[in-house]
């Protein structure tokens, strides 16, 4: 923090809700002290946290920044923002087959707003408690709303799932019905605030338990942030320029989230919708499909992604991933 | 990334310098792939990194976000921005006595600017190589310039330095002459761009080797980001509402960085200047002061911070730390 750069607007805003002493340390104490796992030797409050890593395990680390109006709507409830920003990071741990352990939070806020902070931390810790992940440090600065989370998980040596490793003949599986994330976003942008797709969009459920169950089973794994086709393409490229054939008949019917959409729309959502944060993985032939998961097709040696349509004809699909920058 | 929220401005800017395909993945490959330590099993490119933690060690973790025009001037050279943002985080590891291992980088950029990125990564990796710390992951998003870095280090179990632990009678030591950070900032804001204080401000040198040497020696430690008095006060509070007496005669004379400042100005800079990123630590009486360090005074049982002036009189000092929010 550059002291000589601070101006009066940088001091805490003394409103009826916010005591004048509510500096960064007080904010952290009030909203971000929460129960922690046994591996946390020292949590927030010093220059850094001290952690005891699980003996004999490798660590898995990810970091993602979420910006208002870019990664989430700025009028989203703070509970959902807190839940969602952590979910995105836990989903990356899940994609590696890691057990969630610790996270650090860098929160950039335009102003001190106690209601917002209380809601944000409630949503954040709701998911943190479910996943057994402990907040161990971070900082709060003043600026345009942004949430940067770094998360760490553990995995037995050599058992982390990667994007590489898929082989021709492997089945392509997803951890649930995809498309709800994009449909929820479309509905949100149309002014809708309730319904199963909105719920899916507000509160994506990262699949860390599925990821851990896939250790030693899945030949490759990724979480679906860009859409099935784009993320499948990441697996294909990382596994050595392989190809894939998706079976249109295998796309699951969804009586809930996608209900009300035409068949064409459902197919487009399921194959191209992003922000689902379900796992996409490849399974060698003899292994059973885990409960709740669907097989969409197979890895093939021939490069490119193809769709076997209901009438049996096969056509090439164009992969258009989202540009991340 | 919300696909339906992207607008044309979100696509890579096809300028003469930037190929149209320069998406997040290409940017990371081009500017942020760099040699890595042996403990890095899998670096950037998958959903997360895979790390092999040093056997039998505890981990130390910190995260700090730096915003343009708040934590560094927006007209600072990108080499210095890269160096400085990493230095701030390594300094937190140093304050815990940790050996730097890995860091993740979340970079928020207003636009793709290859010259800026090349400079930024040069400065970043210059310090990373010196400190032996490996970049293992992160992301790049589009928005107001911000750099969020999470850093991890290792320390033998129970040997991490903390803010708590100081005792009455311990000597108060600093890892060098303080005040250069604030003086450099003042000179920068006055338009100056060269000189020893500017250098100190642009390229703070985090003291991870000193921190590691202080394991088992220092009773408490912190890095100076808020100024000697404010950071000493953090140690005093964490160690149980202790006090301290600073000896004015012990403030080192500095023939270089602070040269040209009056005695009063030098004292103010040394005691209240922030952004020095030197270590402030307490040493029990029999231990020798490490080379290059200075003893400024002693911890006392009586709360408050006092200054023993040149004429022998003692007066109470007001501690005014920088508000971090």
């Amino acid at each position: 923090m550059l002291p000589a750069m601070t101006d009066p607007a940088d001091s805490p805003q003394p409103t009826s809700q916010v005591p004048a002493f509510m500096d960064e340390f007080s904010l952290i104490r009030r909203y971000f002290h929460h129960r922690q796992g046994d591996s946390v030797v020292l949590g927030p409050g010093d220059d850094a946290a001290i952690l005891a890593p699980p003996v004999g395990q490798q660590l898995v680390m990810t970091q993602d920044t979420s910006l208002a109006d870019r990664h989430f709507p700025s009028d989203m409830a703070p509970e959902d923002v807190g839940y969602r920003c952590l979910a995105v990071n836990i989903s990356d741990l899940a994609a590696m087959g890691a057990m969630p352990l610790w996270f650090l939070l860098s929160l950039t806020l335009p102003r001190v707003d106690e209601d917002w902070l209380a809601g944000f931390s409630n949503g954040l810790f709701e998911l943190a408690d479910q996943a057994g992940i402990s907040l161990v440090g971070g900082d709060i600065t003043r600026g345009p709303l942004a949430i940067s989370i770094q998360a760490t998980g553990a995995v037995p040596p050599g058992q982390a799932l990667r994007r590489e490793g898929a082989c021709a003949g492997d089945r392509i599986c997803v951890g649930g019905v995809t498309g709800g994330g994009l449909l929820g976003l479309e509905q949100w942008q149309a002014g809708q605030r309730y319904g199963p797709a909105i719920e899916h969009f507000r509160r994506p459920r990262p699949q860390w338990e599925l990821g851990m169950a896939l250790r030693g089973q899945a030949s490759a794994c990724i979480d679906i942030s860009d859409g099935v086709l784009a993320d499948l393409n990441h697996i294909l490229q990382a596994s050595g320029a392989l190809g894939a054939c998706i079976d249109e008949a295998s796309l699951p019917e969804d009586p809930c989230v996608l209900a009300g959409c035409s068949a064409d729309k459902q197919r487009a959502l399921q194959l191209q919708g992003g922000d689902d944060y379900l796992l996409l993985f490849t399974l060698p032939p003899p292994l059973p499909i885990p409960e709740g998961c669907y097989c969409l097709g197979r890895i093939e040696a021939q490069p490119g992604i193809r769709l076997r349509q209901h009438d049996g004809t096969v056509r090439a699909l164009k992969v258009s991933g989202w540009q991340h920058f």
Side-chain angles (χ1 to χ4, degrees), chain A:
Chain A
M1 187 67 48
L2 299 180
M5 278 188 179
T6 58
D7 59 47
D10 287 329
S11 321
Q13 302 298 313
T15 73
S16 59
Q17 299 165 315
V18 184
F21 55 80
M22 195 58 88
D23 61 9
E24 182 187 15
F25 306 110
S26 311
L27 290 172
I28 290 174
R29 247 191 317 271
R30 180 171 294 190
Y31 295 107
F32 297 104
H33 276 204
H34 193 75
R35 62 178 166 277
Q36 296 167 329
D38 294 338
S39 62
V40 182
V41 179
L42 181 70
D46 210 302
D47 287 276
I50 307 174
L51 295 318
V55 175
Q57 303 266 301
Q58 289 181 334
L59 297 177
V60 164
M61 290 189 168
T62 184
Q63 182 169 2
D64 268 299
T65 294
S66 299
L67 305 178
D69 281 334
R70 180 154 175 85
H71 301 93
F72 59 87
S74 54
D75 58 345
M76 185 177 249
E79 288 81 357
D80 294 334
V81 175
Y83 185 102
R84 200 173 191 288
C85 293
L86 182 58
V88 169
N89 281 277
I90 292 180
S91 187
D92 281 326
L93 298 184
M96 307 295 287
M99 181 178 71
L101 285 179
W102 318 304
F103 71 105
L104 293 95
L105 165 70
S106 262
L107 186 55
T108 304
L109 294 174
R111 64 187 173 282
V112 173
D113 176 337
E114 286 221 89
D115 289 342
W116 194 93
L117 279 165
F120 177 85
S121 67
N122 278 343
L124 184 83
F125 288 123
E126 183 184 328
L127 176 58
D129 288 346
Q130 288 169 16
I133 194 169
S134 300
L135 176 64
V136 300
D139 64 347
I140 304 181
T141 52
R142 187 179 295 258
L145 183 58
I147 297 109
S148 184
I149 290 180
Q150 187 277 336
T152 300
V155 67
Q159 290 195 32
L161 307 174
R162 303 187 183 190
R163 296 179 181 185
E164 68 184 54
C167 292
D170 288 354
R171 284 154 307 160
I172 299 159
C173 304
V174 283
V177 180
T178 56
L182 178 55
L183 180 63
L185 171 63
E186 289 176 357
Q187 291 177 349
W188 183 282
Q189 290 178 327
Q192 196 173 323
R193 290 294 178 268
Y194 300 98
I198 294 282
E199 180 66 19
H200 194 88
F201 168 65
R202 289 168 51 238
R203 301 269 176 144
R205 296 177 178 275
Q207 301 187 297
W208 68 90
E209 285 167 324
L210 175 60
M212 290 166 69
L214 291 173
R215 292 174 187 166
Q217 311 269 316
S219 49
C221 188
I222 193 172
D223 75 317
I224 301 171
S225 53
D226 300 346
V228 164
L229 295 185
D231 287 315
L232 174 58
N233 196 44
H234 291 312
I235 287 181
L236 298 177
Q237 298 314 312
S239 300
L242 293 172
C245 187
I246 302 286
D247 194 345
E248 187 171 13
S250 72
L251 292 175
E253 294 208 12
D254 178 39
C256 179
V257 175
L258 306 184
C261 297
S262 70
D264 277 358
K265 174 78 176 175
Q266 287 206 23
R267 189 187 57 216
L269 286 168
Q270 288 195 43
L271 293 181
Q272 295 178 284
D275 277 322
D276 277 316
Y277 303 105
L278 299 169
L279 296 187
L280 175 72
F281 54 98
T282 55
L283 268 189
L287 297 170
I289 311 284
E291 200 184 324
C293 298
Y294 301 94
C295 173
L296 300 183
R298 282 186 187 269
I299 300 292
E300 295 180 341
Q302 185 194 344
I305 303 182
R306 292 160 290 280
L307 183 71
R308 178 172 290 110
Q309 299 176 108
H310 286 299
D311 63 6
T313 58
V314 173
R315 69 177 173 95
L317 293 178
K318 189 167 166 287
V319 177
S320 55
W322 316 116
Q323 292 289 355
H324 277 251
F325 192 89

